[in-house]
Amino acid sequence: MSGSLSTFWVYLQEILENAIPPESPVRNELNELIQSFAKNPIAEQHEQARRLFEIMAEVPLGHELAFQSGAQIPLTAYAPLAIPMKFAPTLADSLHFLARYVKLQAPLITCDFTQDEHFGYMTLDFRLPMSETTEIYVTAAAFSALSAELSLVTGSTHNFHGIRLRNGTNTYLTMYKKFFGVTPDINLSANTAVIPRKVLEAANPFADRASFKRYGEEYEQQLKDSRISGQLSEKISGILTSQISQPPNMQDLAVQLNISNRQLRFALTKEGTSYRELLMRCRVEYCRTQLRNPRMNISQLAQKLGYNDITAFNHGFKRWTGKSPTEFQRELLSK
């Protein structure tokens, strides 16, 4: 996506203009972030989206803003991917479609959808680590959007059997109960909406099987193309990890792979990633491995990653993970 804002960001900008006073110090930064989404491909939007939601999670009444944005922005505004979901024969078909292809068009968010005999499970995750506050906010907004979509077919606002969250606050838990009729369970391993099978199997009055099949074939080809380039990103991750203390820049990496800088950038964009994102992930995984050792101190880790300035390392680490190195290690060792 480039050139103009997608409908989602247009809607979100309208909501923010009503919710955040013009004199607020974050108003200009939010507007600049939203405008930046028109200029960059998906692969370069993850960090921008994370920063935008970090700000929104911290504004006064941010919990209300989360549920409001989820309920008021139509699912079809999120990405062109959401339009063929409207043609699915059932809600289960629609959610399987979303989970399979979401990474092709949506920044930051990933999801997985599974079913058993009685329920469907929509599990939400993220392409970058986020602070606890931001994750709570984005999860509430996403499940609010999901509830709104289910309601269009069922005619009811209470379509969840349960909500399972990694983290939550009393304010957010009250809002879940108010809007969806369920109080979430917290301190679990994932963010999951549990949906009864009878809801998922409800016939979609907007169904168009032929169009849904055609869109599926088109997206399947895009997914196949992204997997081909995915083999390249796996190779790149191996190179970056092996040279983590002094990783090659984009140009040197292209030389090592015997391709042009432009070819490298294009291949990564097709997969929905970028050099910066791969490098960040490699650094986070390296830190995760090292910090599982209680004898590893932060200064040693900074040196291993090529940082001579511990302050710069601490700032970089918090940008990658949303936590300080000490907080990150404490959480790892407590599990």
Side-chain angles (χ1 to χ4, degrees):
M1 179 187 71
S2 62
S4 61
L5 283 174
S6 72
T7 313
F8 171 81
W9 300 113
V10 172
Y11 275 116
L12 186 60
Q13 192 166 34
E14 292 177 355
I15 290 173
L16 292 176
E17 286 174 354
N18 293 324
I20 300 177
E23 65 274 14
S24 171
V26 301
R27 181 73 174 266
N28 287 339
E29 184 178 0
L30 284 169
N31 283 331
E32 288 174 3
L33 283 167
I34 289 174
Q35 292 301 320
S36 72
F37 287 97
K39 304 171 186 175
N40 298 316
I42 290 294
E44 297 177 16
Q45 293 179 15
H46 306 313
E47 289 190 21
Q48 294 166 316
R50 177 172 64 178
R51 175 56 185 156
L52 183 142
F53 291 127
E54 282 176 351
I55 295 173
M56 293 172 63
E58 297 290 347
V59 301
L61 301 179
H63 59 286
E64 294 186 2
L65 189 60
F67 286 87
Q68 178 187 3
S69 60
Q72 293 187 4
I73 300 177
L75 187 66
T76 47
Y78 283 74
L81 172 68
I83 295 174
M85 291 173 59
K86 292 289 189 181
F87 304 144
T90 67
L91 288 169
D93 294 322
S94 181
L95 297 182
H96 276 297
F97 187 94
L98 175 65
R100 184 163 181 79
Y101 305 121
V102 67
K103 75 170 188 176
L104 294 174
Q105 293 187 356
L108 192 60
I109 290 175
T110 66
C111 59
D112 183 54
F113 181 69
T114 58
Q115 288 181 266
D116 60 22
E117 184 178 353
H118 302 291
F119 301 105
Y121 305 89
M122 176 58 79
T123 299
L124 184 71
D125 214 333
F126 309 98
R127 295 176 69 99
L128 298 179
M130 293 194 292
S131 68
E132 181 177 305
T133 302
T134 308
E135 181 173 326
I136 292 170
Y137 177 95
V138 177
T139 302
F143 285 162
S144 181
L146 175 59
S147 174
E149 188 66 14
L150 298 178
S151 298
L152 289 176
V153 174
T154 67
S156 170
T157 58
H158 293 177
N159 293 298
F160 295 139
H161 175 78
I163 298 287
R164 304 169 183 173
L165 301 175
R166 281 197 283 247
N167 303 291
T169 66
N170 288 336
T171 303
Y172 275 90
L173 299 186
T174 300
M175 297 287 282
Y176 276 101
K177 179 66 175 178
K178 174 183 176 180
F179 284 100
F180 311 140
V182 296
T183 300
D185 297 317
I186 60 173
N187 299 321
L188 298 175
S189 60
N191 300 308
T192 303
V194 183
I195 309 167
R197 195 172 185 93
K198 66 178 181 180
V199 171
L200 295 169
E201 293 180 348
N204 178 12
F206 313 107
D208 178 349
R209 292 178 181 272
S211 294
F212 184 66
K213 181 175 182 292
R214 179 173 59 81
Y215 275 108
E217 291 169 350
E218 291 177 3
Y219 280 113
E220 197 62 29
Q221 183 59 50
Q222 290 185 37
L223 192 62
K224 180 180 178 181
D225 292 342
S226 75
R227 284 173 178 160
I228 293 172
S229 63
Q231 297 174 2
L232 179 60
S233 69
E234 290 175 11
K235 186 174 182 179
I236 291 170
S237 294
I239 293 173
L240 294 175
T241 300
S242 67
Q243 302 175 48
I244 199 68
S245 63
Q246 195 172 359
N249 60 29
M250 186 84 164
Q251 185 172 348
D252 291 340
L253 184 60
V255 171
Q256 290 189 39
L257 294 168
N258 199 30
I259 59 177
S260 70
N261 200 334
R262 184 171 178 274
Q263 287 174 316
L264 176 56
R265 191 181 301 277
F266 179 73
L268 293 177
T269 299
K270 282 179 66 178
E271 190 193 359
T273 189
S274 67
Y275 168 81
R276 289 180 63 191
E277 182 178 343
L278 290 176
L279 178 58
M280 182 276 297
R281 287 184 178 180
C282 289
R283 282 172 167 162
V284 170
E285 287 307 309
Y286 182 81
C287 290
R288 192 189 307 278
T289 301
Q290 295 293 314
L291 290 175
R292 288 189 188 279
N293 179 356
R295 293 190 296 273
M296 173 60 67
N297 65 52
I298 307 307
S299 295
Q300 288 176 312
L301 181 58
Q303 291 176 356
K304 285 176 176 287
L305 285 170
Y307 282 82
N308 295 320
D309 184 347
I310 187 67
T311 301
F313 172 70
N314 286 335
H315 285 316
F317 193 97
K318 191 157 190 177
R319 188 173 65 253
W320 307 334
T321 68
K323 301 178 176 68
S324 71
T326 303
E327 291 170 335
F328 194 86
Q329 185 178 43
R330 188 184 303 123
E331 289 187 11
L332 283 174
L333 297 178
S334 67
K335 295 178 180 178

